[in-house]
Structures are given as C-alpha cells and as structure tokens.
Amino acid sequence: MMARNSDGELEEQSTEGYQEAAFEAFMCPLTKQVMQDPVTIETGQTFEREAILKWFRECRDNGRRPTCPLTQSELRTTDINPSIALRNVIDEWRARNDEKDLEKACNALRLHPEDDEDDTLRAMAYISQICQRSGAKKNLVRGQGIISTLADLLKSSSRRVRLKSLQVLRTVVEDNDQNKEELG
C-alpha cells in the first residue's frame, strides 16, 4: 500500500513486493492513505468516507459549522456522494498490485523454497492473505500453478514450513472445488 513519508513523498509501506505507484487522486487528503470508499463533498473535494464523516462530527462537537478541510470554506450541507468511478479505478489498481505480488510470492516458492525459510514463510503468508480477501484470488493461485508446489512443501525438513504449507493449502482449497481437484 502507498502512503506519504515524512517528506510528503509517496512511498511503499509494504516490502512484500513491487507496488505500482498510486496516483495522487487515490490518496485521501485527511488520512494520507489510498482510499477504500471515496466520497465527494459539495466543494468537489474527495475524501475517504469515514475520514470526512469524522471531520464533520468534530466540527459539530466543537460547535463549528462544517467546513471543507482543504479549502476551509463553510459548507451548506454535509451531503456526501460516492465517487464510484474513482473507487473502481482504485480497485483495479489494487487488483494489478495483488496479481504482481502474488506472482512474486509464487515465483519465490517455485525457485528457492528451501533456501530461505523466512522468505518461504512470508510468501506463503501472502498467498494465504490474498486468498482470504477474495475467493476469486484462489483461482489466480491455481492459475499460477502453485498448489502442487505448496503440496511439495509438506515434505520440507522444516516443521514451520510444513505447518504453514498445510494452513495455506486449507485456505486455498476451502470453498473452491477446482482447487480441491487440483490438490487431489
């Protein structure tokens, strides 16, 4: 995920893999994070839904009329409108980054599974995490051909690798008949 560093520059927060840079428009001016649920207020400015609602609450709690946090102009209304197009673009950006990171994790398991136990465990943790986020990602894992590699890791000399492999395989095949068939 992208965030601003102390110098105000965009940088990666994750060291798990390459992340395609986030556009400035993806960032909430209040949280300095990529937005999940972008909404637009009357001034045309876009914010993360929860962040702007919190701003409005703070204005009311402090006895002030709601203002735009960027322009400081007083608002006539606190109505918010979802920015569906921006949310869709951000979702597509996240999906591309997920695919790149998944490919990197799968390659790490295929190329050097026994060389670095910690890298192997991190790669498997990422695969598990991405599969838990979305059932469709389980199909991407199958498409990467990684299920047999995960099964082979059950033969590892490392107890930690064997255990993690079993946990990841369970996640990958859960509620996915095609992945169960591939594992069989």
Side-chain angles (χ1 to χ4, degrees):
M1 180 175 295
M2 301 301 289
R4 295 214 177 275
N5 66 18
S6 59
D7 297 326
E9 299 168 348
L10 288 179
E11 68 178 18
E12 289 183 55
Q13 283 186 325
S14 170
T15 58
E16 290 299 311
Y18 170 78
Q19 292 281 307
E20 182 180 315
F23 289 106
E24 183 73 26
F26 294 0
M27 308 301 287
C28 173
L30 294 174
T31 66
K32 308 296 189 225
Q33 299 293 317
V34 175
M35 292 182 274
Q36 299 278 336
D37 188 9
V39 295
T40 304
I41 63 172
E42 135 187 356
T43 61
Q45 302 294 332
T46 304
F47 302 92
E48 177 65 38
R49 179 184 299 269
E50 288 304 314
I52 194 63
L53 292 176
K54 179 181 177 190
W55 174 267
F56 290 157
R57 277 191 306 275
E58 289 172 359
C59 286
R60 279 191 299 274
D61 291 349
N62 292 325
R64 296 182 291 129
R65 290 190 43 92
T67 60
C68 172
L70 294 181
T71 65
Q72 296 303 313
S73 60
E74 206 169 273
L75 301 174
R76 291 178 302 221
T77 178
T78 57
D79 291 347
I80 56 175
N81 297 303
S83 184
I84 296 168
L86 179 57
R87 184 178 59 223
N88 289 342
V89 171
I90 292 171
D91 287 347
E92 289 173 11
W93 169 80
R94 277 197 176 94
R96 284 192 306 274
N97 281 332
D98 283 350
E99 287 177 31
K100 288 176 185 177
D101 282 346
L102 178 61
E103 183 176 339
K104 182 176 179 176
C106 291
N107 286 338
L109 290 181
R110 269 192 225 99
L111 299 176
H112 308 288
E114 292 293 327
D115 288 353
D116 186 340
E117 182 177 307
D118 290 336
D119 282 349
T120 299
L121 292 170
R122 270 192 296 277
M124 286 192 291
Y126 180 78
I127 292 168
S128 180
Q129 176 188 31
I130 200 168
C131 287
Q132 289 170 356
R133 274 192 263 153
S134 163
K137 302 293 184 187
K138 293 178 182 185
N139 296 330
L140 282 176
V141 169
R142 186 179 64 253
Q144 288 282 338
I146 203 67
I147 293 175
S148 61
T149 303
L150 288 167
D152 287 344
L153 288 172
L154 292 171
K155 302 172 192 169
S156 170
S157 60
S158 166
R159 182 179 182 280
R160 292 173 53 208
V161 169
R162 289 191 313 267
L163 177 61
K164 189 64 176 177
S165 178
L166 190 58
Q167 291 169 338
V168 175
L169 281 168
R170 179 175 181 237
T171 301
V172 168
V173 301
E174 192 173 42
D175 300 325
N176 189 308
D177 290 339
Q178 291 174 315
N179 285 1
K180 287 176 186 172
E181 284 181 37
E182 173 124 354
L183 180 60

